[in-house]
Each structure stands twice: as structure tokens, then as C-alpha cells.
Amino acid sequence: MKEEIAILIAAGKGERMRPVTEKTPKPLVAVHGVPMIETVIGGLLRRGVKRIYITTGYLGEQFSYLPEKYPNVTLIENPEYTVKNNISSIWAAREVMGESDCFVCEADLFVSDPSIFDAKLRGSCYFGKFVEGYSGDWLFDTDASGRITRVGKGGADRYNMCGICYLLAKDAKTVRDAVVEAYRGAGYEQKYWDEIVDENLSRIDMTVHPVPPSSIVEIDTVAELKAIDRSYENV
């Protein structure tokens, strides 16, 4: 088994899930009794990922129990989370990104089927869920060979992003270096890190790894939280 690492992006405020996130960072919101971030960690540990780095920001002190519970977890503070988009979390983790094959995961996912992490991944890829018809969410255009040609918002009958990316070490280094280069200029502050991937697709051979729609649930609003966990009905 190759030695792999993971970077979990957990710095954001989760404002669309207020009032639940007023006192709890979104990745630590429990779904069926388990904090969402721990469903991601559980899948990564099942795979045998050696080191897991979590970039924290909003209410970051609440994540401090995780390295005690999971000895291979390390917290990395992202002090820029209030003024820059999630590109700042890749910047915060730049010293470790590129050293090994690497998962980059949103930390506010509810992984209902951790076996999705068992897949034999031979190249860099995004996990994707196929959506029929038009979707305004983040998704992928692909060519006839299956290579991703665009990472962006809006399209019909496409695989949609579901918050998990896998990068070979050389490709993780390419993304890291591109983020470092962006930081030397202006206008990068509100970029998503996935936009950096999109800008470098000519240098990265990315494909989509399909996963069942029910295996990963992205919960962005209180209404979506209530729909999956009835204990929040009175929120």
C-alpha cells in the first residue's frame, strides 16, 4: 500500500447553516451522533492513510480533541480564513502538500459509506456523483478519453463534485506550486482552490472517479441537515 496523506479543509464559518454553526464549526456538527469530519477521518483511516492534516480557522480550538483521539491527525491553523477563500487552506498546508499522494477533502461531508475510500486509485481524480439534467453546482467537463477538461460551475448531464479529490504526489506539487505563485500576485484572495486545479489541467491528467449518490452527503443548510437527521427538527 502506498503511503498517502490527506488534507481536510475545515476553516470556514459555515454561515449557511446558522444558527447551528453559531457555536459549533460546521465540520463538527453531528449527523446521527457523529461529527461530519469524523466520518471523513473514518474513511481515510479505513484506507490506511498515514497522516491527516486538518486546516482550522473558525472556532478552531474545538478541533483540539481530534489529535488526541486520532494520533495521526495534525491540526494546521489557517489564520487567513476570514479574508481569503479556501485557497488559503492549501497555502496553510503547503509544507506537506506534494510530499506524498494526497487526498484533499472538504471536512463538512457526511460519508455514509466509508467503503468509497477502498478504491484503487491509479491516477489523480475527483470523486463525482452523476447528475442528470442541468446543475448549477461545481462539476466536470470531460473529453472522450475521460480526462477532465474543466472544473467549474454549471452544466447538464455531468459528474458533480462531491468534496473529495485525490492527487498523485507530482500533481499535488503542481497545485501547491501554483497556489504559491498565485500568492505572489493579486486577485487570488477569493479563489477556490479548485479554480487553481482548473487553471492547471493542461499539466495534470485528472479523471472522475464515480461514487454512488448516497455515499457522500453534502449538507450546506439547516433544511438539508433536518432532512437527513430528524433530531434537528426543532432548530
Side-chain angles (χ1 to χ4, degrees):
M1 193 71 175
K2 295 186 296 183
E3 182 165 317
E4 299 169 331
I5 69 169
I7 297 169
L8 275 56
I9 298 175
K13 292 183 177 181
E15 291 180 333
R16 288 197 289 165
M17 202 182 282
R18 288 188 173 183
V20 177
T21 54
E22 286 179 354
K23 296 183 179 180
T24 304
K26 187 180 172 187
L28 294 183
V29 171
V31 178
H32 301 304
V34 182
M36 287 190 280
I37 194 172
E38 292 197 53
T39 70
V40 181
I41 292 171
L44 293 167
L45 293 179
R46 172 188 170 112
R47 182 180 177 85
V49 171
K50 299 299 182 184
R51 284 162 292 151
I52 299 171
Y53 301 94
I54 302 172
T55 61
T56 64
Y58 177 65
L59 300 176
E61 68 282 356
Q62 294 189 29
F63 293 89
S64 61
Y65 78 95
L66 289 171
E68 299 175 7
K69 185 173 182 179
Y70 304 101
N72 62 340
V73 165
T74 299
L75 304 183
I76 299 175
E77 183 183 3
N78 173 3
E80 300 181 309
Y81 77 95
T82 59
V83 293
K84 296 179 183 178
N85 213 324
N86 70 8
I87 188 176
S88 61
S89 282
I90 302 301
W91 169 262
R94 65 192 181 281
E95 292 185 5
V96 299
M97 189 169 181
E99 66 180 34
S100 303
D101 295 350
C102 176
F103 282 94
V104 180
C105 306
E106 300 294 335
D108 53 358
L109 305 173
F110 176 64
V111 179
S112 58
D113 180 7
S115 71
I116 60 170
F117 285 100
D118 297 346
K120 294 182 179 179
L121 304 173
R122 295 179 173 82
S124 297
C125 60
Y126 275 97
F127 285 29
K129 298 186 286 187
F130 190 79
V131 175
E132 294 184 354
Y134 180 80
S135 170
D137 290 335
W138 285 88
L139 46 73
F140 314 107
D141 291 347
T142 56
D143 62 19
S145 71
R147 180 171 178 164
I148 295 175
T149 57
R150 179 180 75 100
V151 178
K153 289 187 176 182
D157 301 321
R158 298 285 192 275
Y159 280 98
N160 280 33
M161 186 182 293
C162 55
I164 299 175
C165 179
Y166 182 76
L167 295 168
L168 297 180
K170 64 181 180 65
D171 297 330
K173 185 177 184 299
T174 294
V175 174
R176 179 202 68 195
D177 291 348
V179 169
V180 171
E181 183 62 30
Y183 260 68
R184 293 181 179 137
Y188 68 88
E189 293 85 356
Q190 295 310 309
K191 280 193 172 185
Y192 292 91
W193 85 272
D194 302 283
E195 292 180 83
I196 300 297
V197 176
D198 179 64
E199 292 168 4
N200 287 274
L201 286 173
S202 62
R203 304 165 61 199
I204 304 173
D205 187 2
M206 293 282 291
T207 60
V208 177
H209 174 69
V211 296
S214 61
S215 61
I216 307 171
V217 182
E218 297 175 85
I219 304 172
D220 291 321
T221 65
V222 172
E224 291 171 349
L225 182 61
K226 291 179 180 180
I228 194 171
D229 187 337
R230 302 178 80 177
S231 68
Y232 290 96
E233 283 185 351
N234 295 324
V235 172

